[in-house]
Amino acid sequence: MGMLQPTQDAELINRKASKKGKTDKDLLKRNKIIESEPDTEKREMETDSKRPTQNPTELNLQPVKFQCQISFQFDLASLICLVVGIATRFYNLTQPHSIVFDELHYGKYVSLYMKRTFFFDSQPPLGKQLIALAAYIGGYTGDFKFVAIGAAYPENFPLFAVRFIPALCGALLPVSVYYLLLQLGLKQLTAATAAFLILFDNALLTQSRFILMEPMLLLFSVFGLYCLLKFIRCRESPYTFAWFAWLIVGLFSLTAAVCIKFVGLCSLLLGFYVVWRDMWSLVANKNLSIWSLVSQALVRAVVLFAVPVALYLSLFHVHLSILNKAGPHDSVMTSAFQASLEGGLASITKGQPLQIAHGSQITLRHSHGRTCWMHSHAAVYPVRYPDKRGSSHQQQVTCYSFKDVNNWWIVKRPSRSDLAVSRPIDAIKDGDIIQLVHGMTSRALNSHDVAAPVSPQNQEVSCYIDYNISMPAQNLWRVDIINKDQVGDVWHTIESMVRLVHVNTSQALKFSGKQLPDWGFNQHEIVTDRVVIQDDTVWNVEEHRYTKSDDQKERERDMVHAEMIPTRPTTLSFWDKIVELHMKMLFSSSDTLQDHMYSSQPLDWPLLSRGIAYWVNTTTNAQVHLIGNVAIWYSGTIAIFSYCVLLVWYLCRMRRKIYDISAGEYEKYFKWERAVNLNY
């Protein structure tokens, strides 16, 4: 704004008026009167005419004064939430100074990160990576062994640094909830109330003080939704820096939630809906051209795809790049994956054969799902099962989850009677017919038209025993190499994925996934299945050596004393590793899920009928117990129930042409877009 320049006479009058105690209002009026008087202007002109003319170079130029005004505002409610959140989450953070609940697992993962040792977890790695980064900055080297809940941490363990990230996320969560609700158009008092409820909830406070994933998951989800709502506010100025920034940061945060735990996918899908629901509302704006709508839709689609995929793959690339050494979790992965790790299956490879041949001693591993090896032993199937079905009473064939001498099988050509490998090597190729002889019992793998013990819809697999009855051996199998385009048509150790198809019935050897009863030593069932092409019919050779002698006793002696080692190192691409890892994470983790003493059902959560004892001090009986704030959880449950009842009530009333609420209240109640004034 411009500033008034009063004349010299006006300034003189102002000074005199101020001495007489005149008010500012009177002075302004007087100034205007003086400035408007012709006599005053005449006197000014005469005064100016009497002044001597000066050279412009002789003029005394006054410096120009610039004014800069800085305003600072802060939200008292959010500031209180932040301060109280930091105080409650960080106060005495290192207590208890011992392992609390799932710190046992996540602490182990942090230690393995420090040692660069591979581990398997059914959830994405970002949460563990953030905690490991904080531990690394804190000076942790990964030497502490997380052995049991309640075990004390050593004095030099950087416990504050390891618990720092969850505590920080827990402190920022109430503030994020506060601003999210403000962005949704709720009143400040409502938003502040919700933030304080989050702030003082016992369960969230407890989880924020230990090495757990939930605080990070919740913060990334809430903050990501807040950013996308800010993005929608920029709808009238697309392609600006703020428009791109809020969209990218919001998607980045929601994808980070997915990278903490897969349940974060619900928040990411909600974010997708928010963005595309806004795009749909833009279609109704006739001021926008078709080209403008199409271009904006394409840009949104590209960003919605590129940001989550790039972040997700980048985190897994970091994860697999760091964890390049073999560890205790290797057995979950396939043989090829293990052999790609430093010091894993490829640690002892010299002199090990690559090609499977007549006379090869092999172990056959189930390639997908549960980790187990085809196994047999001297025990036979029961004559009759509890359901009165009869069996072949042949030698049992199972899938065993541990390395054992009874996992060895010898590959044999049907036309040859010897078992020793001769030169040149008689390599087995795709489509060849073979027999598999059990190494310790010398009985051949067999299948008959007899129902399997636990899966009667499938056919039983056994090792053939000649009982001199009308049941001839059916022990021929065809080798189908399913990835021969990559590894060739010769059967190779580790790399070749094969299906063994029973020649007589054209059914494939399959891991059924079902557990045998006590007579089967609780091992897993192997059957044949008419459906040949499926994951459970895929096997690969993990351990391999050539039979040196045809003498059975000498073979058995070699097998007993042989070291269970692999054959040769492998190199897997990043895509091969990430596909295999996700197959294990998504589909095989359910095999290991079992009920435990801390498990609960969904109905237990809103009613707080079951809590979890996180930690108990055996000497002082001090405890850390996970349970929600009764007032908060019960009021929240009642509020959700009440909302649903009112929703159905008003819908039914309006269906009967009875309008109890105004149109404006209806829009707020049923359509959040109108409540936050997002539509044009």
Side-chain angles (χ1 to χ4, degrees), residues 617-636:
N617 191 317
T618 56
T619 57
T620 64
N621 202 32
Q623 298 186 22
V624 175
H625 202 81
L626 178 70
I627 190 169
N629 187 305
V630 176
I632 296 174
W633 283 60
Y634 273 44
S635 62

Side-chain angles (χ1 to χ4, degrees), residues 277 666-676 679:
R277 182 65 182 84
Y666 169 81
E667 295 293 343
K668 290 183 180 180
Y669 195 79
F670 291 95
K671 297 183 178 180
W672 68 272
E673 297 101 329
R674 299 296 176 86
V676 296
N679 286 340

Side-chain angles (χ1 to χ4, degrees), residues 90-125:
F90 283 93
Y91 172 73
N92 219 5
L93 185 61
T94 58
Q95 295 300 321
H97 203 270
S98 54
I99 300 174
V100 178
F101 197 58
D102 276 349
E103 287 188 340
L104 176 68
H105 303 295
Y106 296 124
K108 286 181 180 179
Y109 297 152
V110 171
S111 297
L112 292 172
Y113 263 122
M114 298 297 106
K115 298 295 185 180
R116 305 194 66 174
T117 302
F118 177 81
F119 65 84
F120 175 79
D121 185 28
S122 60
Q123 298 293 341

Side-chain angles (χ1 to χ4, degrees), residues 41-88:
E41 295 179 0
K42 184 177 181 180
R43 285 197 300 269
E44 289 178 353
M45 294 178 63
E46 291 176 354
T47 304
D48 292 338
S49 62
K50 294 179 180 179
R51 293 174 183 169
T53 304
Q54 295 180 350
N55 192 323
T57 58
E58 297 177 356
L59 293 176
N60 293 326
L61 298 178
Q62 299 296 327
V64 179
K65 295 182 180 180
F66 294 95
Q67 293 183 347
C68 180
Q69 183 178 4
I70 299 176
S71 61
F72 178 77
Q73 296 179 347
F74 65 89
D75 193 317
L76 183 60
S78 64
L79 182 61
I80 292 175
C81 285
L82 180 61
V83 173
V84 177
I86 292 175
T88 53

Side-chain angles (χ1 to χ4, degrees), residues 402-528:
F402 302 94
K403 295 293 185 73
D404 188 85
V405 68
N406 282 312
N407 296 349
W408 286 100
W409 300 81
I410 302 175
V411 179
K412 178 182 178 298
R413 293 278 192 187
S415 58
R416 298 181 58 175
S417 58
D418 65 303
L419 292 177
V421 175
S422 59
R423 302 290 177 176
I425 300 298
D426 186 7
I428 305 297
K429 298 181 179 181
D430 178 60
D432 286 357
I433 306 298
I434 63 168
Q435 293 174 323
L436 288 174
V437 180
H438 187 241
M440 297 302 295
T441 62
S442 297
R443 294 191 174 115
L445 186 70
N446 184 80
S447 184
H448 277 110
D449 187 15
V450 177
V454 185
S455 305
Q457 72 275 13
N458 297 121
Q459 188 168 287
E460 177 193 271
V461 175
S462 62
C463 281
Y464 182 72
I465 302 176
D466 189 1
Y467 288 123
N468 293 320
I469 58 176
S470 58
M471 186 178 283
Q474 296 181 2
N475 54 17
L476 300 180
W477 302 84
R478 186 180 74 248
V479 177
D480 286 348
I481 302 175
I482 62 177
N483 61 339
K484 58 184 176 182
D485 293 338
Q486 290 80 34
V487 300
D489 61 352
V490 176
W491 191 3
H492 287 168
T493 305
I494 296 179
E495 295 179 343
S496 295
M497 299 295 168
V498 302
R499 288 190 176 98
L500 298 174
V501 181
H502 191 232
V503 173
N504 296 83
T505 60
S506 298
Q507 298 187 27
L509 188 71
K510 173 189 174 183
F511 166 74
S512 72
K514 298 180 180 179
Q515 196 168 20
L516 297 172
D518 292 339
W519 55 257
F521 308 99
N522 301 116
Q523 297 174 16
H524 288 81
E525 182 188 46
I526 287 183
V527 299
T528 62

Side-chain angles (χ1 to χ4, degrees), residues 143-205:
D143 296 326
F144 178 67
K145 304 297 182 183
F146 290 80
V147 292
I149 296 176
Y153 289 108
E155 292 299 327
N156 60 347
F157 185 84
L159 186 55
F160 183 88
V162 176
R163 290 177 176 173
F164 176 81
I165 296 296
L168 178 63
C169 293
L172 295 176
L173 179 60
V175 182
S176 299
V177 170
Y178 173 76
Y179 281 110
L180 174 64
L181 296 183
L182 288 181
Q183 202 63 33
L184 283 171
L186 300 179
K187 296 180 180 179
Q188 187 178 33
L189 179 60
T190 305
T193 302
F196 287 137
L197 293 179
I198 297 294
L199 182 63
F200 294 110
D201 179 59
N202 301 8
L204 294 177
L205 174 61

Side-chain angles (χ1 to χ4, degrees), residues 180-372:
L180 174 64
L181 296 183
L182 288 181
Q183 202 63 33
L184 283 171
L186 300 179
K187 296 180 180 179
Q188 187 178 33
L189 179 60
T190 305
T193 302
F196 287 137
L197 293 179
I198 297 294
L199 182 63
F200 294 110
D201 179 59
N202 301 8
L204 294 177
L205 174 61
T206 302
Q207 290 182 328
S208 299
R209 293 178 56 85
F210 304 110
I211 311 173
L212 300 174
M213 302 293 108
E214 284 72 19
M216 292 178 278
L217 170 68
L218 293 173
L219 177 64
F220 284 129
S221 298
V222 172
F223 181 71
L225 293 175
Y226 165 78
C227 292
L228 291 185
L229 292 180
K230 293 287 289 184
F231 158 75
I232 293 176
R233 298 287 186 182
C234 302
R235 52 161 37 187
E236 295 185 0
S237 53
Y239 313 123
T240 60
F241 175 79
W243 190 85
F244 275 111
W246 287 118
L247 178 59
I248 293 174
V249 173
L251 292 174
F252 190 94
S253 182
L254 291 175
T255 307
V258 179
C259 296
I260 299 290
K261 282 189 173 183
F262 281 126
V263 71
L265 182 63
C266 298
S267 300
L268 181 60
L269 294 178
L270 177 59
F272 286 172
Y273 171 78
V274 169
V275 174
W276 285 113
R277 182 65 182 84
D278 175 65
M279 187 66 225
W280 178 251
S281 65
L282 288 177
V283 176
N285 184 10
K286 294 185 177 180
N287 295 326
L288 297 176
S289 64
I290 298 297
W291 169 246
S292 177
L293 292 173
V294 171
S295 62
Q296 189 169 159
L298 289 176
V299 171
R300 293 190 185 203
V302 170
V303 176
L304 287 175
F305 175 80
V307 172
V309 171
L311 177 60
Y312 190 82
L313 294 179
S314 298
L315 291 174
F316 269 96
H317 188 273
V318 172
H319 177 71
L320 294 173
S321 298
I322 295 176
L323 305 182
N324 62 345
K325 297 182 180 180
H329 295 207
D330 296 353
S331 61
V332 178
M333 311 307 295
T334 62
S335 304
F337 193 103
Q338 295 178 63
S340 68
L341 298 173
E342 180 182 334
L345 285 177
S347 58
I348 307 174
T349 59
K350 293 182 180 179
Q352 299 300 307
L354 174 63
Q355 295 180 346
I356 309 299
H358 169 81
S360 288
Q361 298 177 15
I362 64 173
T363 61
L364 278 170
R365 172 184 166 130
H366 180 233
S367 297
H368 299 286
R370 187 179 183 86
T371 302
C372 63

